[in-house]
């Protein structure tokens, strides 16, 4: 692969993430009004808390109409469907606007071999579909969907595994290898999602082992770095050094992080210092520095900026321009969650940048933990629901000719 050129790339039109015409081009007036009502509700923390409890209770006792109501509101906003087949219209619709789909099987397993095998087979099906569908640039999975969490944690802690545990760990490793081998065979990029810090090192080691095996020609297996952890840039730099020394390509997905409250709580319970940065500004700075590092080493690192942060997204476009990378460079991707931050996804794709949406899917009942996290995170993240709400409001006014 070529190193970044010192010759500037052709001028790229500046991106405005305020351009709601492009952001909501795919939405009808009725769809926009429905989104407006949903995000208005999600701005109300008390309503979200009460509604979450009611939805869980209604599903538990199979109240008539509950599934229909959920599927046609919050589920429809944040999920592609209950099955891969149901997701196909979403894949096609996003593809019309040059936005890829990352099918995310969001069912949390029950922790036995049957569940782990079922998850492996489901991810293999997403890889097979991606191999024949241009609009699916990545597949994705969590290692905890393939093997018991306790074994990952024991391994990281240096605790000896029993013979049965070692056999179970090996079965999990074989499931992981089956996914990576299939991805390599079909030429499909594969994300390994990040998880909790007390077993993340085990996941990192497994991911790097797969990279050594399958990333000799290009980045097929990609590991994820949660930059709300203060040590992740150093971990990324060390991983890059190993990739250079051992002659394989590094696939890197950068996110801010998904387990902050849990991380702080467990650190306090177990009596160690929290791995989380002391402030959001520290996380933002570390994230942006990681973007710079990846672009500086794009000859060896392929990068996906998994972020809803407008400043970081804009920074990456500027870094690409400075490094002489065209918007369509295959080594650089942007990704956001389905149902959120369309002002980023659609405007980036419109400007020619490789952009994809994480599209969760699975049975409504099984995906409820994911949906409740989305609702709670949107309420908790300062300004996120308000930002979505105001952008939708702005576009409705534009369409009505008042702005």
């Amino acid at each position: 692969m070529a190193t970044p050129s010192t010759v500037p790339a052709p001028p790229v039109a500046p991106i405005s993430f305020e351009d709601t015409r492009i952001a909501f081009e795919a939405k009808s007036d009725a769809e926009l009004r429905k989104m407006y009502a949903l995000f208005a509700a999600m701005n109300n923390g008390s309503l979200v808390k009460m509604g979450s409890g009611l939805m869980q209770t209604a599903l538990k006792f199979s109240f008539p109409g509950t599934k229909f109501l959920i599927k046609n509101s919050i589920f429809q906003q944040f999920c592609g469907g209950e099955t891969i087949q149901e997701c196909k219209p979403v894949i096609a619709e996003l593809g019309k606007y040059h936005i890829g789909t990352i099918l995310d099987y969001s069912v949390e397993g029950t922790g036995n071999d049957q569940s782990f095998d079922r998850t492996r087979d489901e991810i293999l099906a997403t890889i097979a579909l991606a191999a024949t569908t241009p609009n699916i640039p990545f597949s994705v999975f969590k290692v905890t969907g393939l093997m018991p969490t306790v074994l990952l944690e024991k391994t990281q802690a240096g605790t000896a595994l029993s013979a049965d545990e070692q056999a179970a760990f090996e079965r999990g490793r074989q499931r992981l290898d089956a996914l990576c081998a299939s991805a390599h065979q079909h030429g499909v990029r594969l994300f390994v999602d990040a998880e909790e810090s007390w077993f993340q090192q085990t996941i990192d080691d497994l991911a790097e082992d797969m990279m050594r095996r399958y990333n000799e020609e290009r980045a097929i297996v990609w590991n994820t770095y949660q930059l709300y952890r203060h040590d992740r840039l150093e971990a990324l730099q060390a991983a890059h050094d190993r990739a250079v020394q051992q002659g394989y390509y590094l696939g890197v997905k950068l996110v801010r992080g998904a387990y902050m409250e849990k991380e702080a709580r467990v650190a306090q319970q177990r009596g160690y210092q929290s791995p989380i940065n002391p402030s959001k500004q520290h996380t933002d700075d570390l994230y942006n520095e990681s973007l710079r590092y990846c672009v500086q080493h794009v000859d060896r690192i392929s990068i996906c900026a998994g972020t809803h942060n407008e400043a970081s997204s804009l920074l990456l476009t500027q870094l690409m321009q400075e490094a002489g990378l065209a918007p369509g460079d295959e080594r650089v991707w942007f990704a956001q969650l389905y149902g959120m931050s369309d002002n980023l996804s659609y405007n980036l794709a419109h400007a020619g940048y490789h952009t994809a949406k994480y599209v969760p899917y699975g049975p409504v009942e099984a995906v409820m933990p994911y949906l409740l996290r989305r609702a709670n995170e949107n309420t908790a993240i300062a300004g996120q629901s308000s930002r979505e709400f105001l952008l939708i409001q702005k576009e409705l006014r534009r369409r009505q000719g008042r702005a």
Side-chain angles (χ1 to χ4, degrees):
M1 288 188 179
T3 57
S5 171
T6 56
V7 178
V12 177
I15 291 178
S16 170
F17 295 135
E18 299 291 328
D19 191 333
T20 59
R21 181 188 62 80
I22 292 174
F24 299 114
E25 186 179 1
K27 303 296 182 185
S28 67
D29 289 353
E31 288 170 329
L32 268 185
R33 285 192 291 269
K34 187 175 180 179
M35 289 172 63
Y36 180 88
L38 180 62
F39 280 105
M42 290 170 63
N43 265 332
N44 187 322
S46 299
L47 183 61
V48 168
K49 186 175 181 180
M50 181 179 68
S52 297
L54 288 173
M55 282 193 294
Q56 288 176 302
T57 301
L59 280 173
K60 181 179 179 181
F61 293 101
S62 301
F63 289 170
T66 300
K67 181 176 176 179
F68 177 84
L69 180 62
I70 293 171
K71 191 168 183 179
N72 286 279
S73 56
I74 188 171
F75 183 92
Q76 187 179 66
Q77 178 66 27
F78 295 113
C79 297
E82 294 195 79
T83 64
I84 292 176
Q85 187 66 31
E86 282 190 15
C87 290
K88 287 184 177 179
V90 171
I91 296 167
E93 180 66 20
L94 290 172
K96 289 179 186 176
Y97 300 92
H98 308 291
I99 297 172
T101 292
I102 305 167
L103 288 173
D104 184 9
Y105 184 55
S106 294
V107 176
E108 299 187 354
T110 56
N112 55 44
D113 276 331
Q114 184 179 15
S115 170
F116 296 141
D117 287 344
R118 188 164 55 247
T119 298
R120 175 204 58 203
D121 293 344
E122 190 69 27
I123 307 308
L124 285 172
T126 70
I127 293 171
L129 182 62
T132 59
T133 308
N135 295 327
I136 306 180
F138 295 90
S139 288
V140 62
F141 70 98
K142 282 184 168 64
V143 173
T144 51
L146 304 177
M147 67 174 72
T149 304
V150 65
L151 301 186
L152 297 167
E153 188 173 354
K154 280 187 173 184
T155 300
Q156 181 159 317
T159 303
L161 302 182
S162 68
D164 286 346
E165 288 175 329
Q166 189 60 53
F169 187 89
E170 185 55 35
R171 289 195 297 274
R173 192 201 304 269
Q174 289 171 359
R175 294 183 190 102
L176 170 62
D177 186 65
L179 297 183
C180 296
S182 179
H184 181 261
Q185 177 188 348
H186 291 101
V188 174
R189 306 172 191 87
L190 184 63
F191 285 144
V192 182
D193 266 349
E195 303 193 54
E196 289 87 342
S197 63
W198 49 95
F199 54 88
Q200 181 61 46
Q201 187 58 54
T202 312
I203 293 173
D204 290 346
D205 293 342
L206 288 167
E208 285 195 31
D209 183 43
M210 295 297 112
M211 287 189 200
R212 280 189 288 271
R213 194 171 302 179
Y214 298 113
N215 286 14
E216 290 183 347
E217 298 175 355
R218 65 186 182 103
I220 291 291
V221 181
W222 299 46
N223 199 15
T224 304
Y225 293 82
Q226 300 190 103
L227 274 306
Y228 66 1
R229 285 183 54 180
H230 58 71
D231 62 345
R232 290 297 86 187
L233 176 55
E234 293 175 2
L236 168 60
Q237 292 168 334
H240 170 247
D241 289 342
R242 289 188 292 273
V244 171
Q245 292 165 6
Q246 298 173 36
Y248 60 88
Y249 291 94
L250 191 65
V252 170
K253 181 177 65 158
L254 300 179
V255 300
R256 277 169 167 76
Y259 308 99
M260 187 163 67
E261 293 179 0
K262 187 176 183 181
E263 289 280 1
R265 183 175 67 252
V266 171
Q268 185 176 32
Q269 291 170 348
R270 299 186 182 183
Y272 61 81
Q273 185 177 0
S274 173
I276 305 301
N277 286 317
S279 71
K280 182 180 183 301
Q281 188 61 54
H282 280 84
T283 295
D284 290 343
D285 292 344
L286 198 60
Y287 191 95
N288 292 340
E289 187 58 34
S290 299
L291 290 176
R292 293 186 182 93
Y293 184 85
C294 288
V295 172
Q296 288 166 3
H297 298 90
V298 74
D299 59 318
R300 183 65 58 175
I301 299 176
S302 292
I303 173 179
C304 176
T307 182
H308 292 190
N309 186 285
E310 295 178 16
S312 293
S313 299
L314 186 60
L315 172 63
L316 182 51
T317 67
Q318 294 167 344
L319 292 171
M320 292 176 68
Q321 176 77 4
E322 292 167 5
L325 302 178
D329 193 297
E330 283 288 341
R331 296 166 294 182
V332 185
W333 285 79
F334 297 79
Q336 293 81 38
L337 294 172
Y338 182 66
M340 294 174 60
S341 298
D342 286 346
N343 64 311
L344 292 181
S345 307
Y346 283 80
N347 278 294
L348 284 165
H350 186 264
Y353 293 93
H354 284 305
T355 310
K357 288 283 199 184
Y358 257 68
V359 177
Y361 74 97
V364 171
E365 299 85 351
V367 177
M368 278 307 297
Y370 172 85
L371 292 174
L372 295 178
R373 281 198 297 272
R374 288 289 78 77
N376 290 323
E377 286 168 9
N378 273 279
T379 303
I381 295 170
Q384 183 61 54
S385 285
S386 296
R387 178 66 170 148
E388 303 282 352
F389 181 71
L390 291 172
L391 286 166
I392 295 167
Q393 188 178 60
K394 177 182 176 182
E395 175 59 11
L396 284 171
R397 287 177 174 168
R398 188 195 69 81
R399 292 184 184 189
Q400 292 165 359
R402 294 204 298 265

